[in-house]
Amino acid sequence: MGNVVGGIFTSHVPAIGNAIARERQSDPYWKPFFDGFVPVRRWLDAVSPDVAIVFSNDHGLNFFLDNMPTFAIGAASEYRNADEGWGLPVYRALPGDQALSWHIIEHLVADEFDISTCQSMLLDHAVSIPFELCWPGDRPRAVRVVPIAINTVQHPLPSPKRCLALGRAVGAALRSWEGPEKIVVFGTGGLSHQLEGRRAGFINRDYDHFCMDHLAADPDALTLHSALDIVELAGSQGVEILNWIAARGALGDRAAELSRNYHVPISNTAAATMLLEAGTAAESPRIVSLETVA
Ligand code: DHB
Ligand code: FE
């Protein structure tokens, strides 16, 4: 019986990697963001998960505009990191969990999701930065990873409804897994941000709060907007919230918010970090909630 223990939702701004490399975590610019990971690391120490299912978007490392799967699942024994041009250090390779990957793939295809399967896949900042934040420095990270890439880049994008359904199908696959592993789910990217064009620097606090307020108790509320509505509401990269929506689906029906951090801005992004516990009623009390604006 696969045991989904919780979900970690976080922005994946590449500049965080440079801040870590330069040890700027306590600088006034960075501290409000890094503080959001204190409760997450405490929870990870207590729970000690074995596997991480990571929903994120590829930023041109594996797939480019000419070749863009809507949903792609890694089935490799190891995933190397590479930098697609930010000048980031190359992070440690992460071990895969091929048996669990194939279990999820079998389940999704039986469920009529037409996914791409990737027996080799590189991981970019969208996976490596959250891992550096969760297990910084040389802290051992025993987790094996199953990466799931969602197209948030090349239109037409999958709908929020379809992403939630994908996540729910992944959750059902995890619950039918016979292994004893403790499984944590990640959704990375967002919240509102736009990197290019006339709206570069666009941030929408109201929409971000709408997403954070509904994520635990009512994720279906996030599917009321179309993917194009979200581009308008959250910016052309803010649509990375699709990764959060899918990850929330994988947590199962009940989830409680344990911590939340919202800090505007980090680089061009409204940076948010949330920790949800799976299987607990949404009315459970929060441990921490922080909000800061630079
Ligand atoms: C930024 C945010 C992202 O999500 C990303 O993938 C790249 C850059 C930014 O705000 O700088
Ligand atoms: Fe991104």
Side-chain angles (χ1 to χ4, degrees):
M1 173 71 189
N3 185 7
V4 182
V5 287
I8 296 168
F9 301 79
T10 181
S11 306
H12 60 219
V13 179
I16 298 162
N18 285 318
I20 294 170
R22 298 191 175 116
E23 299 185 1
R24 296 279 160 81
Q25 292 91 332
S26 301
D27 281 11
Y29 182 87
W30 288 105
K31 190 174 178 336
F33 172 75
F34 280 94
D35 281 353
F37 275 84
V38 174
V40 175
R41 286 197 292 270
R42 202 180 301 136
W43 180 84
L44 282 169
D45 281 344
V47 171
S48 194
D50 305 291
V51 185
I53 313 296
V54 186
F55 293 87
S56 69
N57 54 298
D58 181 77
H59 293 73
L61 206 55
N62 299 279
F63 316 118
F64 204 59
L65 303 182
D66 59 336
N67 178 11
M68 183 61 73
T70 298
F71 301 128
I73 305 200
S77 59
E78 186 184 68
Y79 300 91
R80 284 189 301 109
N81 164 256
D83 173 30
E84 79 276 18
W86 300 100
L88 296 171
V90 174
Y91 299 108
R92 282 180 282 180
L94 301 178
D97 188 323
Q98 283 182 300
L100 184 56
S101 284
W102 285 111
H103 173 78
I104 296 169
I105 290 163
E106 294 275 1
H107 196 286
L108 288 178
V109 173
D111 234 0
E112 301 180 346
F113 283 88
D114 304 315
I115 48 171
S116 297
T117 57
C118 303
Q119 298 188 49
S120 65
M121 197 191 241
L122 292 167
L123 299 182
D124 70 19
H125 68 273
V127 180
S128 295
I129 297 282
F131 269 62
E132 288 301 311
L133 288 161
C134 288
W135 294 276
D138 293 331
R139 270 163 67 110
R141 34 164 101 127
V143 284
R144 303 185 296 280
V145 63
V146 176
I148 304 183
I150 295 182
N151 169 28
T152 67
V153 175
Q154 167 76 344
H155 293 261
L157 307 179
S159 69
K161 198 166 155 229
R162 190 64 175 156
C163 292
L164 186 60
L166 174 82
R168 284 183 170 143
V170 170
L174 297 175
R175 284 190 295 281
S176 72
W177 174 249
E178 306 257 297
E181 289 88 349
K182 282 186 262 180
I183 302 169
V184 63
V185 171
F186 281 73
T188 92
L191 290 180
S192 58
H193 63 299
Q194 172 146 342
L195 301 178
E196 78 291 304
R198 274 192 294 125
R199 291 208 310 169
F202 175 79
I203 275 167
N204 184 343
R205 289 180 180 77
D206 289 343
Y207 177 70
D208 292 340
H209 280 100
F210 166 80
C211 291
M212 293 186 290
D213 289 345
H214 288 91
L215 189 71
D218 182 18
D220 289 276
L222 276 66
T223 69
L224 299 178
H225 301 110
S226 70
L228 283 178
D229 289 339
I230 297 180
V231 171
E232 198 165 325
L233 284 164
S236 49
Q237 282 76 35
V239 77
E240 290 174 345
I241 190 72
L242 292 175
N243 304 324
W244 287 44
I245 294 172
R248 172 62 191 85
L251 277 185
D253 288 344
R254 282 149 57 100
E257 181 177 331
L258 296 185
S259 75
R260 176 194 297 201
N261 185 32
Y262 183 70
H263 176 69
V264 179
I266 288 296
S267 183
N268 286 294
T269 295
T273 303
M274 290 182 73
L275 170 63
L276 268 54
E277 185 173 61
T280 314
E283 51 275 13
S284 298
R286 285 179 195 154
I287 298 173
V288 188
S289 182
L290 306 166
E291 175 154 346
T292 44
V293 178

XYZ file of all heavy atoms in Angstrom, residues 12-14 57 59 84 86 125-126 152 188-190 193 195 237 240 243 269, ligand 2:
154
model
N 10.470 27.850 -8.290
C 11.768 27.239 -8.628
C 12.692 28.245 -9.330
O 13.481 27.861 -10.201
C 11.556 25.973 -9.473
C 10.830 26.203 -10.775
N 9.901 25.331 -11.282
C 10.896 27.211 -11.686
C 9.436 25.793 -12.432
N 10.034 26.935 -12.707
N 12.592 29.521 -8.969
C 13.376 30.596 -9.611
C 14.881 30.239 -9.638
O 15.466 29.955 -8.599
C 13.181 31.910 -8.821
C 13.991 33.029 -9.429
C 11.704 32.273 -8.745
N 15.516 30.249 -10.825
C 16.933 29.853 -10.899
C 17.861 30.701 -10.014
O 18.863 30.186 -9.505
C 17.296 30.053 -12.377
C 16.010 30.120 -13.112
C 14.940 30.534 -12.155
N 7.842 21.608 -14.959
C 7.891 21.795 -16.410
C 9.345 21.847 -16.849
O 10.188 22.424 -16.156
C 7.162 23.077 -16.824
C 7.669 24.310 -16.099
O 7.576 24.395 -14.876
N 8.192 25.268 -16.841
N 12.314 23.250 -19.037
C 12.558 24.595 -19.574
C 13.463 24.555 -20.808
O 14.337 25.403 -20.979
C 13.179 25.490 -18.504
C 12.272 25.822 -17.345
N 11.933 24.900 -16.379
C 11.631 26.967 -17.005
C 11.137 25.478 -15.485
N 10.941 26.728 -15.838
N 20.376 24.884 -18.133
C 20.021 25.263 -19.497
C 20.393 26.704 -19.806
O 19.883 27.295 -20.752
C 18.549 24.958 -19.785
C 17.548 25.933 -19.251
C 17.146 25.724 -17.797
O 17.864 25.026 -17.057
O 16.113 26.280 -17.392
N 21.535 29.299 -17.063
C 21.457 30.287 -15.990
C 22.801 30.498 -15.284
O 22.906 31.334 -14.395
C 20.402 29.862 -14.960
C 19.039 29.736 -15.542
C 18.402 28.587 -15.919
C 18.124 30.796 -15.843
N 17.159 28.859 -16.421
C 16.963 30.209 -16.387
C 18.174 32.196 -15.700
C 15.861 30.960 -16.798
C 17.072 32.940 -16.100
C 15.942 32.333 -16.641
N 16.535 23.307 -13.389
C 16.367 24.011 -12.110
C 15.003 23.768 -11.463
O 14.856 23.915 -10.265
C 16.597 25.523 -12.312
C 15.545 26.196 -13.139
N 15.595 26.272 -14.518
C 14.386 26.815 -12.786
C 14.530 26.907 -14.969
N 13.788 27.254 -13.948
N 14.017 23.375 -12.274
C 12.672 23.194 -11.738
C 12.587 22.020 -10.763
O 11.658 21.938 -9.959
C 11.677 23.007 -12.878
N 3.978 23.501 -19.829
C 3.422 24.814 -19.475
C 4.002 25.886 -20.390
O 3.940 27.070 -20.088
C 3.750 25.185 -18.007
O 5.165 25.387 -17.876
C 3.307 24.113 -17.036
N 6.207 22.165 -8.604
C 7.153 23.298 -8.605
C 6.779 24.338 -9.657
O 6.078 24.065 -10.623
C 8.629 22.846 -8.794
O 8.970 22.873 -10.187
C 8.884 21.473 -8.207
N 7.266 25.561 -9.447
C 6.996 26.668 -10.365
C 6.054 27.690 -9.746
O 5.720 27.612 -8.572
N 5.597 28.655 -10.547
C 4.703 29.692 -10.040
C 5.349 30.502 -8.915
O 6.528 30.347 -8.651
N 4.060 35.061 -12.445
C 5.245 35.706 -13.016
C 5.196 35.677 -14.538
O 4.599 34.783 -15.135
C 6.566 35.133 -12.504
C 6.882 33.687 -12.813
N 6.125 32.627 -12.402
C 7.942 33.130 -13.469
C 6.690 31.484 -12.778
N 7.799 31.759 -13.441
N 8.093 36.625 -17.644
C 9.509 36.975 -17.832
C 9.750 37.850 -19.055
O 10.807 38.459 -19.153
C 10.357 35.700 -17.946
C 10.296 34.750 -16.738
C 11.136 33.511 -16.996
C 10.745 35.442 -15.465
N 4.412 32.711 -17.464
C 5.086 31.634 -16.728
C 4.333 31.278 -15.445
O 4.588 30.227 -14.854
C 6.543 32.001 -16.410
C 7.497 31.851 -17.596
C 7.368 32.979 -18.603
O 7.117 34.127 -18.237
N 7.518 32.666 -19.879
N 2.696 27.931 -14.661
C 3.346 26.796 -13.965
C 2.519 26.307 -12.775
O 2.782 25.218 -12.249
C 4.750 27.196 -13.492
C 5.738 27.372 -14.628
C 7.097 27.901 -14.179
O 7.238 28.406 -13.045
O 8.041 27.826 -14.980
N 1.507 22.687 -12.532
C 2.294 21.660 -11.825
C 1.788 21.486 -10.388
O 1.761 20.376 -9.865
C 3.776 22.041 -11.794
C 4.337 22.284 -13.168
O 3.963 21.617 -14.113
N 5.251 23.253 -13.279
N 9.358 36.881 -9.822
C 8.330 35.917 -9.440
C 7.751 36.199 -8.057
O 8.488 36.569 -7.147
C 8.966 34.499 -9.466
O 9.332 34.197 -10.810
C 8.023 33.435 -8.962
Fe 9.940 28.196 -14.365
